[in-house]
């Protein structure tokens, strides 16, 4: 199993450009998450999904959009990129929180710079 | 909203010294998880604690969940250079996880 796969690994955007960060998992997890990690900081939840067709906002959703058309894929869309969105973005997936040992599996991350 | 705080932010130790990081939540947690992130890497799950007062050990790592289920600690005995990284605690709230800001551990050989 590949686990959680994120593409691209690195990207440089100009202010105002748009892009989609891809995330796919092959563990048949219902729950998927997008986090951002600013330098020296913890993880902030952007959006999450509890299953195909269902998404909800996390702590820092402004400037981002998501969709979940399949169990496997959970892309994150940045519209009108701003320097404040320079960060490392991690996608994660898990089984249902609160039931048993609920491990979050993380992708390798996408390092995004907006200049 | 729920907040999860971690101290210290940084810790520099000599190899062989002990290390402890503390995690405090503003609300009672159903469980708490710990993750390790190596420099340039992604968070990797270490352990989950569920019961009040629970203590779990993984070799040189000891994890503790407070009696009130609002705080937790990770203690590393006799650190090694392989312990370098940032340690995060994470507490669930319904469908979300709230991560602490992490403690960055540097170990001097």
């Amino acid at each position: 199993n590949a686990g959680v796969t994120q593409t691209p690994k690195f990207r440089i955007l100009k202010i105002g450009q748009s892009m989609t960060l891809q995330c796919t998992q092959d563990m048949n997890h219902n729950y998927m998450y997008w986090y951002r990690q600013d330098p020296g900081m913890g993880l902030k939840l952007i959006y999450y999904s509890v299953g195909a067709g269902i998404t909800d906002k996390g702590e820092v959703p402004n400037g981002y959009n998501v969709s979940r058309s399949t169990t496997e894929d959970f892309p994150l869309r940045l519209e009108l990129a701003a320097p404040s969105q320079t960060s490392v973005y991690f996608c994660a997936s898990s089984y249902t929180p609160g039931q048993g040992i609920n491990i979050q599996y993380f992708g390798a991350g996408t390092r995004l710079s907006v200049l | 909203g729920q907040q999860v705080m971690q101290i210290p932010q940084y810790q520099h130790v000599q190899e062989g010294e002990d290390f402890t990081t503390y995690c405090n939540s503003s609300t009672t947690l159903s469980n708490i998880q710990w993750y390790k992130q190596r420099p340039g890497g992604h968070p990797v799950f270490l352990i989950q604690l569920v019961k009040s007062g629970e203590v779990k050990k993984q070799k040189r790592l000891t994890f503790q969940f407070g009696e009130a289920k609002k705080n937790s600690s990770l203690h590393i005995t006799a650190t090694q250079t392989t312990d370098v990284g940032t340690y995060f605690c994470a507490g669930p709230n319904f469908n979300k996880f709230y991560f602490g800001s992490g403690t960055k551990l540097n170990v001097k050989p």
Side-chain angles (χ1 to χ4, degrees):
Chain A
N1 287 348
V4 179
T5 303
Q6 289 184 240
T7 57
K9 286 185 169 44
F10 304 93
R11 184 73 185 267
I12 298 175
L13 282 182
K14 293 183 179 179
I15 295 172
Q17 285 185 321
S18 301
M19 76 164 293
T20 299
L21 282 66
Q22 302 291 345
C23 175
T24 187
Q25 53 95 6
D26 62 0
M27 296 174 281
N28 202 33
H29 286 162
N30 285 329
Y31 282 69
M32 295 188 74
Y33 314 83
W34 274 106
Y35 295 92
R36 60 176 286 172
Q37 184 177 35
D38 297 332
M41 303 295 286
L43 297 158
K44 296 292 185 185
L45 182 65
I46 305 171
Y47 272 95
Y48 67 99
S49 169
V50 304
I54 306 170
T55 63
D56 205 350
K57 297 177 181 179
E59 298 174 84
V60 289
N62 291 344
Y64 307 94
N65 277 300
V66 293
S67 60
R68 183 96 181 270
S69 57
T70 67
T71 299
E72 294 79 18
D73 300 307
F74 189 39
L76 176 72
R77 178 83 178 161
L78 277 72
E79 304 282 2
L80 297 174
S84 60
Q85 293 178 304
T86 294
S87 190
V88 179
Y89 292 85
F90 288 103
C91 177
S93 72
S94 72
Y95 291 112
T96 307
Q99 295 183 8
I101 295 181
N102 177 39
I103 300 171
Q104 287 190 76
Y105 295 87
F106 285 81
T110 295
R111 283 155 179 77
L112 176 68
S113 294
V114 182
L115 304 174
Chain B
Q2 179 175 341
Q3 289 188 341
V4 178
M5 292 151 286
Q6 254 184 282
I7 56 170
Q9 190 173 3
Y10 302 97
Q11 187 83 55
H12 301 272
V13 300
Q14 200 71 38
E15 189 172 22
E17 292 181 337
D18 291 357
F19 160 78
T20 304
T21 174
Y22 301 91
C23 179
N24 289 286
S25 170
S26 58
T27 60
T28 302
L29 300 169
S30 59
N31 64 75
I32 194 158
Q33 297 182 343
W34 285 91
Y35 291 79
K36 177 183 179 181
Q37 184 178 25
R38 286 198 163 93
H42 60 276
V44 175
F45 176 84
L46 292 176
I47 207 161
Q48 177 173 301
L49 304 172
V50 179
K51 299 177 184 176
S52 170
E54 188 171 13
V55 178
K56 285 189 176 180
K57 292 190 176 184
Q58 289 180 349
K59 297 182 180 178
R60 295 177 294 103
L61 278 62
T62 302
F63 303 84
Q64 191 164 5
F65 201 10
E67 293 291 339
K69 301 183 77 171
K70 294 180 73 173
N71 58 75
S72 181
S73 65
L74 158 59
H75 179 81
I76 302 178
T77 303
T79 54
Q80 299 175 358
T81 55
T82 54
D83 295 324
V84 165
T86 302
Y87 294 83
F88 293 99
C89 61
N93 185 344
F94 296 101
N95 297 319
K96 310 175 193 178
F97 284 89
Y98 288 88
F99 279 79
S101 54
T103 296
K104 187 173 183 179
L105 172 64
N106 186 37
V107 180
K108 301 174 196 174

